[in-house]
């Protein structure tokens, strides 16, 4: 891992300079140490989490991750235990000419195995922690194909503004934003009415599934791998 990332993480854990956010006092913090590891799409790599898992105890890890994550469907114990892992950041980088039209998919189909944008989503981890440069509302996470989404998902089955997760009174709620291919919670269709999320709920966006996982559950998963 790049030493500059390690130093930034350590500084933020210690409350060093450059640690800022727009979360209200007393509310769940949406910017924290983990924001140092987030890529431009709002993801954190498996390698980064494994590194911190190895460097910390359970309580320290939970404090570091801070909020739940959305875990891609391919990130099973078997995958995490494999000696050679797919580079989830390098998958799906091929160009596509038409980016402004959402492609309608059969929501019952399994995740596409074709190369191109969206291929990496089953391997993605999106922490519900904002990047340090986030300019959107402190208590919300936008999900979509639009570049400025908090969780940028480059897949033509994902609408530009697909769904949103909001924080209220210490709980997380998800709602669909009128997406073309819809959003589902534990296989039930979501509307624009927010529904509360619980540990290990399955969130389906277009034709991709993610597990809503608390830091404690994430630690337990890594411990099994």
């Amino acid at each position: 891992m790049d030493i500059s990332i390690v130093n930034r993480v350590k500084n933020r854990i210690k409350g060093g300079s450059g640690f800022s956010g727009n979360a209200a006092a007393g509310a769940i913090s949406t910017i924290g140490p983990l924001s140092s590891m987030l890529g431009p799409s709002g993801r954190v790599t498996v390698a980064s989490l494994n590194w911190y898992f190895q460097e910390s105890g359970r309580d320290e890890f939970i404090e570091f991750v801070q909020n739940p994550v959305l875990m891609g469907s391919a990130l099973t114990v078997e995958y995490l235990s494999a000696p050679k892992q797919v580079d989830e950041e390098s998958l799906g980088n091929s160009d596509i000419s038409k980016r402004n039209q959402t492609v309608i998919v059969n929501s019952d189909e399994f995740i596409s195995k074709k190369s191109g944008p969206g291929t990496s989503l089953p391997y993605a981890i999106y922490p519900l922690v904002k990047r340090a440069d986030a300019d959107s509302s402190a208590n919300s996470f936008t999900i979509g194909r639009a570049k400025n989404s908090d969780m940028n998902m480059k897949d033509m089955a994902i609408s530009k503004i697909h769904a949103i997760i909001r924080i209220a009174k210490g709980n997380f709620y998800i709602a669909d934003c009128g997406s073309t291919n819809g959003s589902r919670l534990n296989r039930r269709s979501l509307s624009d009415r927010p529904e509360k999320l619980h540990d290990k709920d399955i969130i389906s966006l277009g034709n991709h599934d993610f597990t809503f996982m608390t830091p404690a559950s994430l630690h337990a998963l890594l411990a099994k791998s």
Side-chain angles (χ1 to χ4, degrees), residues 192-203:
D192 59 357
R193 181 178 179 179
E195 294 198 31
K196 187 176 178 179
L197 291 168
H198 301 88
D199 188 28
K200 298 183 182 178
D201 276 349
I202 303 299
I203 297 171

Side-chain angles (χ1 to χ4, degrees), residues 43 91-93 111-112 114-123 153-156 207-208:
R43 301 184 192 183
L91 289 173
N93 289 328
I111 294 173
S112 173
K114 296 180 180 179
S115 61
T119 306
S120 66
L121 289 182
Y123 303 91
M153 299 187 178
K154 298 177 181 178
D155 186 289
M156 299 309 291
N207 58 353
H208 295 287

Side-chain angles (χ1 to χ4, degrees), residues 193-223:
R193 181 178 179 179
E195 294 198 31
K196 187 176 178 179
L197 291 168
H198 301 88
D199 188 28
K200 298 183 182 178
D201 276 349
I202 303 299
I203 297 171
S204 302
L205 305 165
N207 58 353
H208 295 287
D209 291 343
F210 297 88
T211 301
F212 179 81
M213 188 171 289
T214 64
S217 289
L218 176 59
H219 184 276
L221 178 66
L222 294 174

Side-chain angles (χ1 to χ4, degrees), residues 2-13 36 51:
D2 191 312
I3 190 66
S4 64
I5 295 178
V6 175
N7 290 334
R8 283 162 54 200
V9 170
K10 288 181 178 179
N11 286 337
R12 295 195 177 204
I13 292 172
S36 299
W51 168 78

Side-chain angles (χ1 to χ4, degrees), residues 5-153:
I5 295 178
V6 175
N7 290 334
R8 283 162 54 200
V9 170
K10 288 181 178 179
N11 286 337
R12 295 195 177 204
I13 292 172
K14 297 175 182 178
S17 61
F19 180 64
S20 61
N22 53 1
I28 287 180
S29 176
T30 53
I31 292 185
L34 186 56
S35 63
S36 299
M37 292 183 173
L38 300 186
S41 63
R43 301 184 192 183
V44 63
T45 65
V46 172
S48 296
L49 286 177
N50 268 324
W51 168 78
Y52 197 78
F53 173 82
Q54 297 295 332
E55 295 291 321
S56 63
R58 180 180 182 276
D59 291 344
E60 188 179 8
F61 179 88
I62 290 173
E63 182 179 359
F64 174 71
V65 176
Q66 186 172 272
N67 290 338
V69 304
L70 299 190
M71 175 81 76
S73 59
L75 296 177
T76 61
V77 171
E78 291 75 20
Y79 170 83
L80 295 172
S81 301
K84 292 183 179 180
Q85 297 181 358
V86 176
D87 181 357
E88 66 272 16
E89 287 297 315
S90 66
L91 289 173
N93 289 328
S94 61
D95 293 332
I96 189 165
S97 59
K98 296 181 180 179
R99 295 185 180 275
N100 293 324
Q101 182 177 359
T102 304
V103 177
I104 298 176
V105 299
N106 181 350
S107 60
D108 293 328
E109 290 177 349
F110 290 102
I111 294 173
S112 173
K113 295 183 179 180
K114 296 180 180 179
S115 61
T119 306
S120 66
L121 289 182
Y123 303 91
I125 302 174
Y126 290 93
L128 296 182
V129 178
K130 287 182 176 292
R131 300 187 299 275
D133 59 351
D135 56 5
S136 55
S137 174
N139 66 341
S140 66
F141 298 86
T142 55
I143 303 172
R145 202 172 71 243
K147 187 176 181 180
N148 62 346
S149 299
D150 290 304
M151 301 179 191
N152 178 222
M153 299 187 178

